Amino acid sequence: MQQNIKWGIIGCGDVTEVKSGPAYSLVEGFELVAVMRRTLELAKDYAKRHHVKKYYDDAEALINDKEVDAVYIATPPDSHHFYALKVAEANKICCIEKPMAPSYKECLEITIAFAKRELPLFVAYYRRSLPRFNKIKALLEAQSIGEVRHIYWNLSRTQSDVDRSKDYNWRTDATIAPAGYFDDLASHGLDLFIYLLGDIEVAKGISLNQQNIYSAKDAISGNWMHKSGVLGVASWNFGVYKREDKVRIVGSKGEINFSIFLDEPIVLLTNGNRNEFHIDNPKHIQKYHVENMQQHLKKQIQHPSTGSTATHTTWVMDSILDKI
C-alpha cells in the first residue's frame, strides 16, 4: 500500500457529518481530499467545514479525479450499484454504505466487478468492528453460555414525525427501500448475527404494509438457520406504541442480552449470575471500521465487512422478504 490513501466521498449527507466522514481524515494513512453532493453549494459548505480541498456536484468527476485513490459511496442505496460499477471501472478502492444495494442480484454484480479487477471492496457494516460487539463475539467463542441454540430479536418503534407528516423520506419509498426501515435498520442486526454466529443456510419470512402511510413495507417477521444449526427468529414493526430493541442469544448454559441500536449494557446470565459489560461507542462510530480498512490495505488483518459478507447479508434479507 502506498504511504497515503486519498479518499473521496460521494453523497455528503447526515451519515457523513459525524458517524463516518471525519474518520477518513483522522485515521493515519488516510486522507479525505474530495467530496461530492448534487448541489454544489452544499458540497462547498461541507468541504469548508471539514477542511476538504476539493468539492464536486458530479460524481463521475470525483471518481475520475487522478488524486482520488478510493471512493466512499454514501448515497441512498438505489444508486450504490451505479456508482460502485463506475468506481470499479476506474480501478479504485471502494467502501459502500449499507445496505450494499437494494437487491442480492445487484450486490452480486458489484462484488464480481471488484473481484475481477482484484480491487478491495468494503461495506459499512461497522458493528463488526466495534469493541462493544466484539465483546459479545469473545463471550461466544469462550463458550460463556455453552453451545448456542437460539437467537431472538425484536425491533419496534413508534411512527416518526416524518412518517406522520407524510413528508418525503427515501427510507420509506418502496422504489428505493422496498421494505422501508427494515432495509435500513434490520440489515445492521442480521449482518451482525452472521458475524457472531456464522453464515445463514436458510431464511424465510412474511412482510406487509400494516399502516398504509407510506409505500414501503412496515411489518416483517423472519426466521432462519445458521449453518452451525443455530436457529433465529425476529420481528420488526415500525408502527407500534413504544420503542424496543432486544436481542437474546440463548445457549445450553446461559444467555446474552443486548441491543443493536440502544446504549444499553451487554448482560451475561449464567447459573443464576448476572454480569454487565458497559462499552461505549466512539464519537465517530465508523472509526474502527475505517481503521480496519487501513490495516487490511496494509495486509495486516482481514477486514470483517467486505463485499462478499455484505452480499450474503442481502441474500438473507431478500430471502426473508421472499424476493428470491
Side-chain angles (χ1 to χ4, degrees):
M1 189 185 81
Q2 64 197 62
Q3 187 66 22
N4 261 2
I5 296 290
K6 296 180 179 180
W7 284 83
I9 299 177
I10 298 175
C12 298
D14 289 344
V15 72
T16 69
E17 287 288 350
V18 177
K19 287 184 175 182
S20 62
Y24 287 86
S25 296
L26 295 173
V27 169
E28 185 179 354
F30 281 0
E31 182 182 358
L32 181 59
V33 298
V35 294
M36 174 269 168
R37 294 193 76 167
R38 286 176 297 176
T39 303
L40 190 62
E41 281 302 310
L42 292 178
K44 180 180 179 181
D45 174 67
Y46 185 98
K48 182 179 179 180
R49 288 185 292 104
H50 292 273
H51 309 290
V52 181
K53 62 183 179 181
K54 293 185 180 183
Y55 55 90
Y56 295 95
D57 60 0
D58 180 350
E60 290 195 47
L62 181 146
I63 292 168
N64 294 312
D65 185 326
K66 292 182 179 178
E67 192 176 2
V68 173
D69 306 309
V71 179
Y72 167 37
I73 300 170
T75 57
D78 63 321
S79 59
H80 289 181
H81 179 265
F82 177 81
Y83 289 136
L85 295 185
K86 293 288 185 183
V87 176
E89 288 172 9
N91 284 301
K92 296 188 177 182
I93 299 161
C94 189
C95 178
I96 307 174
E97 256 308 324
K98 62 84 215 158
M100 184 178 174
S103 72
Y104 171 66
K105 178 178 178 291
E106 288 185 339
C107 290
L108 202 57
E109 289 172 355
I110 294 169
T111 303
I112 291 170
F114 280 84
K116 282 182 177 178
R117 295 168 174 84
E118 297 184 346
L119 289 166
L121 174 61
F122 308 99
V123 179
Y125 283 115
Y126 57 82
R127 279 169 175 76
R128 289 177 177 238
S129 294
L130 285 173
R132 169 183 172 84
F133 297 106
N134 276 301
K135 176 62 178 179
I136 297 169
K137 189 171 181 66
L139 290 171
L140 292 172
E141 289 175 349
Q143 294 194 313
S144 299
I145 59 170
E147 295 182 8
V148 179
R149 306 294 192 208
H150 185 85
I151 182 167
Y152 169 79
W153 184 25
N154 182 56
L155 178 67
S156 58
R157 41 154 278 194
T158 59
Q159 293 178 357
S160 71
D161 292 339
V162 175
D163 296 341
R164 285 190 290 270
S165 71
K166 297 191 177 181
D167 288 344
Y168 181 75
N169 178 5
W170 68 260
R171 290 176 175 82
T172 54
D173 181 346
T175 63
I176 296 176
Y181 294 114
F182 174 85
D183 291 349
D184 188 36
L185 302 177
S187 58
H188 270 300
L190 289 168
D191 183 79
L192 178 65
F193 302 158
I194 293 165
Y195 176 60
L196 296 176
L197 301 170
D199 283 355
I200 289 172
E201 191 168 64
V202 60
K204 299 178 181 180
I206 300 171
S207 57
L208 71 158
N209 186 323
Q210 289 182 329
Q211 303 175 81
N212 294 312
I213 60 172
Y214 45 71
S215 59
K217 294 178 179 180
D218 58 21
I220 300 97
S221 64
N223 56 82
W224 62 89
M225 181 177 72
H226 294 266
K227 288 183 178 179
S228 61
V230 175
L231 297 177
V233 63
S235 175
W236 303 271
N237 197 296
F238 303 101
V240 298
Y241 77 104
K242 70 172 184 176
R243 184 179 184 183
E244 186 170 271
D245 176 13
K246 294 183 177 180
V247 180
R248 294 177 65 219
I249 301 179
V250 181
S252 59
K253 297 180 180 178
E255 66 180 78
I256 301 171
N257 298 335
F258 61 98
S259 168
I260 301 294
F261 300 103
L262 302 179
D263 185 19
E264 296 181 349
I266 298 161
V267 178
L268 172 65
L269 302 173
T270 54
N271 299 319
N273 297 317
R274 177 187 176 96
N275 290 298
E276 294 190 1
F277 305 92
H278 299 260
I279 303 172
D280 293 331
N281 290 326
K283 176 182 177 182
H284 307 297
I285 203 163
Q286 292 197 24
K287 173 188 173 185
Y288 296 109
H289 164 76
V290 177
E291 284 182 352
N292 282 343
M293 286 197 291
Q294 193 261 2
Q295 295 297 307
H296 177 105
L297 294 171
K298 290 175 70 175
K299 301 189 184 301
Q300 293 179 347
I301 67 165
Q302 170 63 43
H303 197 285
S305 182
T306 65
S308 295
T309 65
T311 296
H312 180 62
T313 296
T314 300
W315 175 83
V316 173
M317 293 173 66
D318 277 7
S319 297
I320 290 172
L321 296 171
D322 198 25
K323 290 167 62 178
I324 294 179

